[in-house]
Amino acid sequence: MAEETEGPEGAVKRTRVVAVRLSEAEHAVWAAAAAEAGSGRLGAWVRATVAGVLSGVRSAPARPGPPPEVAALRAELARVGNNLNQAVRAANVAGLDRASAAELVARVDAAEAVMGRIREALRS
């Protein structure tokens, strides 16, 4: 077994990578479960979950997550938001004229309003 070394501030430096292939739906479910558990990073959540299973000690009681369909919708909503952010960034770099910029802002505002309504519906 490889020796563990300490990184900055005494944290264990992890040098080994384990790859797991997931379908889009599986990834959405895992990401939603990690978010539900309060973890912002999927890898950290997977590591903690597997460690808990192997040690027989779970860090927190399992909470039922959203149905897979809702998790998939949340993941899709996140992808749409990311794409929207990239489009606005690209438009900013390209240097739009005032009329095009105003139209883009109006469309982004409309998209944000729709996404907000979707988020609220998913919480229900």
Side-chain angles (χ1 to χ4, degrees):
M1 183 168 176
E3 184 177 322
E4 290 182 349
T5 59
E6 288 193 12
E9 301 174 13
V12 173
K13 183 177 178 183
R14 293 182 169 88
T15 59
R16 305 296 299 221
V17 175
V18 175
V20 178
R21 292 190 186 272
L22 302 171
S23 68
E24 286 294 323
E26 289 168 330
H27 184 270
V29 170
W30 285 30
E36 183 75 20
S39 178
R41 294 182 13 224
L42 182 57
W45 174 79
V46 169
R47 186 172 40 253
T49 301
V50 170
V53 168
L54 293 175
S55 69
V57 178
R58 297 194 68 146
S59 59
R63 295 186 290 178
E69 298 83 11
V70 172
L73 286 172
R74 286 181 177 164
E76 181 65 23
L77 186 60
R79 282 191 290 278
V80 168
N82 186 42
N83 289 342
L84 183 60
N85 187 39
Q86 289 175 4
V88 169
R89 188 174 297 138
N92 187 38
V93 169
L96 294 178
D97 59 81
R98 285 184 180 257
S100 297
E103 183 179 345
L104 179 60
V105 168
R107 288 178 185 237
V108 168
D109 288 344
E112 285 179 338
V114 169
M115 290 171 65
R117 289 193 301 273
I118 292 170
R119 269 191 214 97
E120 287 302 315
L122 289 175
R123 286 186 184 133
S124 305

